[in-house]
Amino acid sequence: MTSTEDKKSMGRVWLVFIPLMLFYASSYFQRTAIPGTTFSLFQQDYGFSAAQIANLTASFVYVYSFCQLVVGMLADKYSGIRIVTIAGAIFCLGVIAFPFCGANAPLLYACRFLMGLGASSLYLSLVKEADRLFGRKNYSVIIGIIYFVGYSGGLFGTLPFGALCRRFNWITLLHWVSAITFCLYLFFLAVKRNVPAAPISPARLSLKPLLKIIKMPYSWMLVFASSTMFTFNAVSNMVFGKKFLLDTAGLSEGAAEAIICGQTLVGMFALLSGGITTRLTKNKRKPLIVITPAITLATTIMMICTIKFQLPAFFYAAGMILFALAAGLAVVYPMAMQEFNSRDSITLAAGFNNNCNYLGIAIFSPLVGLLLDHFKVPGMHNYPVEAYLWLYSLALIPAVAAFVVACFIPETGGHFLHKSYQDAKK
C-alpha cells in the first residue's frame, strides 16, 4: 500500500473514530451535569433529598458498571462498531425522555438506567477499536486522546452548563442537549461504513475468560487501587462537589462551578499526559501505579485538615484538582489490567476494571447522600461542615489501603505477562 493510500485509509479511520469519541463525550456530560451541576436545582425545583439526587447517579452507574463485563465479551466477539450501533439508540432514548419526566423520581431513574445501559458500550467499544485500528504501539496515546475527548463532555457539564442554567431554563437546555446527542448518533451511523467492522469472532461467548481474569491476583490489586482513586474523584465531580464547595468554602455558584470545571480540565490533561508519559518511558506502568494513590492519600489528609481548620478556599480547590490529577494519571491501570491477562481478552479485562471503578461510584454515591441527610438541619438546604469532615475521615481508610496495595503491583513494561505468570505458577 502506497503512502497516499495509507493516508486515505487513516483518514477514513478518523472519520469514524472522531464521531464515536464525541458520542462518548455526550455520555460524560450526562454523568457530570446530572446531578453534579444541577444538585441545587433538583433540591429547589423538585424538592429532592440528597439521597434521591445521589440515586440519579446510582441508577446510571449500577447498570453501566455491571454491563461492562457483558459489553467486554460482546465487543471482543462482534466488534465495537456493531455494539455502538445498537446501544447508541438505547442511550439516545434515555437522554431524550429524561427532560419530560418532571419531578417523577421513578421515571427519572428509569431514564438514567437507559442512559447507563446505552453508555456502557461506548468506552469499551472505543478501547476495542483503538487496539484494532491503531495497534498496540500507539495504544496508550490513543487511549489518552479518548479520555481527553470524553472528559470534554464532562467539562461542558460544569461551568458552561451551570452558567447557561442561570440564564435559561435548565429543562429546556436538557432538551437541546438531547437533540445534539441524537444528531451525533445519526452522524456516526452515516460514516461508519467507511471502516468495516471486524469479522465476527467464531469463538463462543463464554465466562471462562472472565473467570481467568478473576483468578489473577493482580487483577484485584489493580481494581481496588484504581477504583479508590476513580471513586474519590468521580463522586466529588459528579455528585456532591459543587454542593460541598458551596457549603464549606463559602463560594458563589459560579466560583464553585469554575473549580469543578478546573477539576475536569486537569483530569482531561492528566489522562492525555498519562498515556503519553508511559509511551515516553518505554511503557513503564509501575511509577504511575504507585504515584497516583499516593497523591489521593495525601489529598484526602489535606482535605480533612482544610475542613477541620477552615482553611482558605484555595485549599478546597487544590484538593479537588489533585483528586482529578491522580484519577487522570491512573490511566495506566486498565493498561496493566490488560497486560496481566490474555491478549485475547483485552476488552473484557478493561471492562472488568471499568466495572469495578463504576461499581465504587454506584455504592458510595447513595452512602454519601445518606451521610449528608443524616446531618441535615430541617428547613435548610445547606449541610453542616461536620458532615463533610466525617465523609473525608471515613475516606481515609480506603485511601491508605489503596496506596499499600499499589506498592506490591509489579511492572509489566507494556508486555502481556499472562503466559509468563501462568508458567511461573507451574
Side-chain angles (χ1 to χ4, degrees):
M1 186 178 289
T2 66
S3 176
T4 302
E5 290 174 333
D6 285 341
K7 290 179 180 178
K8 288 182 178 179
S9 177
M10 189 54 61
R12 288 193 294 268
V13 167
W14 281 108
L15 184 62
V16 175
F17 212 72
I18 288 174
L20 191 55
M21 289 192 294
L22 291 175
F23 197 42
Y24 175 53
S26 70
S27 74
Y28 249 100
F29 168 84
Q30 294 294 335
R31 286 176 251 185
T32 304
I34 303 170
T37 305
T38 52
F39 194 106
S40 297
L41 293 172
F42 278 103
Q43 276 188 319
Q44 296 165 13
D45 294 358
Y46 292 169
F48 280 11
S49 67
Q52 286 178 303
I53 297 172
N55 283 335
L56 290 170
T57 295
S59 56
F60 181 107
V61 173
Y62 265 122
V63 63
Y64 186 99
S65 172
F66 285 111
C67 281
Q68 295 300 290
L69 302 178
V70 177
V71 172
M73 290 186 286
L74 292 176
D76 280 330
K77 182 174 178 63
Y78 295 106
S79 85
I81 289 177
R82 291 190 182 93
I83 299 301
V84 174
T85 301
I86 298 172
I90 298 173
F91 175 69
C92 287
L93 179 61
V95 170
I96 293 169
F98 186 85
F100 290 101
C101 296
N104 190 315
L107 284 181
L108 291 173
Y109 298 153
C111 289
R112 294 288 286 176
F113 178 90
L114 289 175
M115 289 185 211
L117 182 62
S120 65
S121 72
L122 302 179
Y123 167 71
L124 291 181
S125 294
L126 281 164
V127 166
K128 181 66 176 179
E129 297 303 326
D131 184 70
R132 177 172 76 97
L133 299 174
F134 297 99
R136 199 71 191 176
K137 181 179 179 180
N138 300 307
Y139 183 74
S140 61
V141 175
I142 298 299
I143 289 296
I145 294 173
I146 290 170
Y147 276 121
F148 185 86
V149 175
Y151 266 55
S152 68
L155 184 69
F156 178 74
T158 58
L159 180 62
F161 186 67
L164 289 172
C165 286
R166 286 191 291 277
R167 185 170 181 180
F168 304 102
N169 181 277
W170 64 292
I171 297 299
T172 302
L173 291 173
L174 288 179
H175 283 300
W176 278 103
V177 168
S178 65
I180 294 171
T181 300
F182 187 59
C183 288
L184 286 173
Y185 175 63
L186 293 179
F187 183 35
F188 164 72
L189 293 180
V191 300
K192 70 171 186 174
R193 68 188 66 181
N194 288 279
V195 178
I200 297 176
S201 171
R204 296 177 60 184
L205 292 175
S206 171
L207 291 176
K208 288 184 178 179
L210 176 60
L211 293 176
K212 289 180 180 179
I213 293 172
I214 291 174
K215 290 179 180 178
M216 169 67 70
Y218 294 126
S219 294
W220 291 104
M221 297 171 70
L222 286 162
V223 297
F224 176 76
S226 66
S227 295
T228 300
M229 292 178 286
F230 190 83
T231 300
F232 278 35
N233 179 59
V235 171
S236 66
N237 186 274
M238 295 161 51
V239 186
F240 78 92
K242 177 184 173 182
K243 186 65 175 171
F244 164 66
L245 293 170
L246 292 174
D247 292 348
T248 59
L251 299 173
S252 65
E253 289 210 6
E257 289 164 2
I259 291 173
I260 300 299
C261 181
Q263 181 186 16
T264 307
L265 191 61
V266 168
M268 290 169 59
F269 281 100
L271 285 162
L272 183 61
S273 62
I276 295 172
T277 299
T278 59
R279 182 75 180 88
L280 294 176
T281 56
K282 299 181 179 179
N283 289 320
K284 296 296 182 183
R285 315 300 194 202
K286 181 72 172 183
L288 289 181
I289 282 178
V290 175
I291 290 170
T292 49
I295 294 173
T296 298
L297 173 58
T299 305
T300 304
I301 296 172
M302 186 187 78
M303 292 298 269
I304 293 172
C305 294
T306 300
I307 298 168
K308 177 71 175 178
F309 300 107
Q310 299 181 357
L311 299 180
F314 167 80
F315 291 92
Y316 292 90
M320 303 289 276
I321 288 172
L322 286 171
F323 278 137
L325 178 65
L329 293 176
V331 67
V332 295
Y333 276 82
M335 298 177 196
M337 174 66 74
Q338 293 172 330
E339 290 154 5
F340 277 115
N341 290 283
S342 172
R343 179 72 173 78
D344 297 327
S345 58
I346 61 168
T347 316
L348 183 58
F352 180 70
N353 185 80
N354 221 30
N355 163 258
C356 295
N357 286 174
Y358 279 95
L359 188 59
I361 302 173
I363 292 172
F364 284 102
S365 293
L367 293 178
V368 169
L370 291 172
L371 178 64
L372 294 180
D373 283 337
H374 176 75
F375 285 91
K376 186 177 180 181
V377 178
M380 297 288 291
H381 287 305
N382 294 344
Y383 299 100
V385 171
E386 290 77 10
Y388 297 105
L389 186 59
W390 266 98
L391 177 60
Y392 280 104
S393 297
L394 292 172
L396 189 60
I397 299 171
V400 171
F403 173 69
V404 172
V405 166
C407 291
F408 291 93
I409 298 172
E411 178 65 73
T412 65
H415 303 293
F416 287 90
L417 304 184
H418 175 72
K419 289 184 178 179
S420 60
Y421 175 79
Q422 294 297 337
D423 291 342
K425 286 183 66 179
K426 294 177 182 179

